[in-house]
């Protein structure tokens, strides 16, 4: 399933609203096709590519990865400290 342009626009607006409130939005468990669409079109200007965590075959793995990413942002650590980078 490919998200509609309306959905992508709404998600970007939500990300912008949250950013203005100094809140980071991380979306997890999305199909790889969605990530590719965002990367290709650049439709989500207020949601970085690292803030979209793809679904995995392991139960809760995407959520764990998204949480780890959110913690690196919250703590201000570098990508070298990110457990997803290896």
């Amino acid at each position: 399933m490919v998200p509609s342009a309306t959905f992508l626009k709404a998600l970007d607006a939500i990300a912008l609203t949250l950013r203005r409130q100094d809140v980071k939005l991380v979306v997890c468990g999305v199909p790889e096709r969605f990530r590719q669409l965002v990367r290709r079109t650049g439709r989500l200007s207020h949601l970085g590519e690292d803030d979209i965590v793809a679904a995995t075959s392991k139960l809760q793995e995407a959520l764990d990865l998204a949480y780890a990413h959110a913690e690196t942002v919250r703590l201000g650590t570098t990508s070298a400290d990110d457990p997803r980078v290896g």
Side-chain angles (χ1 to χ4, degrees):
M1 180 173 158
V2 176
S4 69
T6 302
F7 172 79
L8 293 175
K9 198 174 193 180
L11 186 59
D12 195 41
I14 291 167
L16 174 60
T17 298
L18 291 172
R19 176 182 278 180
R20 287 179 177 158
Q21 297 173 14
D22 203 27
V23 175
K24 181 79 163 176
L25 176 64
V26 178
V27 181
C28 70
V30 300
E32 183 59 31
R33 189 170 176 189
F34 177 84
R35 284 176 50 92
Q36 292 171 355
L37 176 70
V38 169
R39 187 180 306 123
R40 188 177 72 245
T41 63
R43 291 295 310 245
L44 299 178
S45 60
H46 299 100
L47 187 64
E49 188 175 329
D50 288 345
D51 302 328
I52 302 172
V53 180
T56 65
S57 60
K58 294 181 182 177
L59 183 64
Q60 199 172 342
E61 184 178 29
L63 180 59
D64 292 340
L65 291 171
Y67 182 80
H69 171 62
E71 280 296 287
T72 61
V73 171
R74 184 180 72 83
L75 298 172
T77 55
T78 65
S79 61
D81 299 323
D82 190 331
R84 297 176 306 146
V85 178

